[in-house]
Amino acid sequence: MIGKLDDYMRFNEAALSLRSQRQELIASNIANADTPNFKARDIDFATALAGALGRTSASTASTSAAVLKNTAPAHLAGAAPGSLPNMLPDGTALLYRVPSQGAVDGNTVDMDVERNQFADNAIRYEAGITLINAQIRGMMAAIQG
């Protein structure tokens, strides 16, 4: 029963999670607009969502995860999943945003693009919350009859 509820909510859950992570990336770009040699980052949302849905359905089939352990003091610590600079914690690849006009200091943040992407992503996040609320209302109506 719980598995069916998870399946019912999986798409919107994955979309909201990715929207949240993308909002953090865009906010980071905006915060570093004056940082020399900072390269603006973003994700390909459609590809990331397809990957997240694929990982989620694969992870429901097998929930055991490999954990790296240091068994001796001389061992080097392994990198935690998602700790790589070119990936989000869920394994989504980070891409560099192509600048429309280069800056003298090497910074590729275009504030107009970033503000537009930030607003667009925020609106889509709110729409996702509205969809989840509608799903929950629909389930409650079905339960209550």
Side-chain angles (χ1 to χ4, degrees):
M1 178 72 169
I2 297 295
K4 290 185 181 197
L5 290 175
D6 285 344
D7 290 342
Y8 182 64
M9 304 286 281
R10 180 171 292 126
F11 178 81
N12 285 322
E13 176 207 355
L16 281 179
S17 176
L18 281 171
R19 290 268 173 224
S20 173
Q21 291 174 347
R22 185 166 187 243
Q23 201 74 350
E24 290 178 18
L25 273 174
I26 297 169
S28 174
N29 290 344
I30 292 170
N32 287 292
D34 294 327
T35 304
N37 295 317
F38 182 82
K39 307 300 181 210
R41 306 297 296 264
D42 202 355
I43 60 172
D44 179 5
F45 186 81
T47 304
L49 183 58
L53 292 174
R55 282 189 298 275
T56 304
S57 62
S59 68
T60 57
S62 144
T63 56
S64 63
V67 177
L68 298 177
K69 293 184 180 180
N70 290 349
T71 56
H75 289 171
L76 297 176
S83 66
L84 300 174
N86 293 324
M87 297 185 98
L88 290 176
D90 67 352
T92 301
L94 289 176
L95 307 172
Y96 289 100
R97 193 182 302 275
V98 178
S100 58
Q101 180 177 350
V104 176
D105 65 354
N107 187 308
T108 63
V109 176
D110 182 351
M111 284 301 290
D112 292 332
V113 170
E114 299 301 327
R115 278 188 290 251
N116 286 335
Q117 291 297 320
F118 191 88
D120 178 68
N121 195 61
I123 290 169
R124 291 175 189 263
Y125 185 86
E126 290 293 327
I129 290 175
T130 302
L131 289 172
I132 283 185
N133 284 335
Q135 280 184 314
I136 292 171
R137 270 189 254 114
M139 284 190 299
M140 292 301 291
I143 290 170
Q144 294 172 351

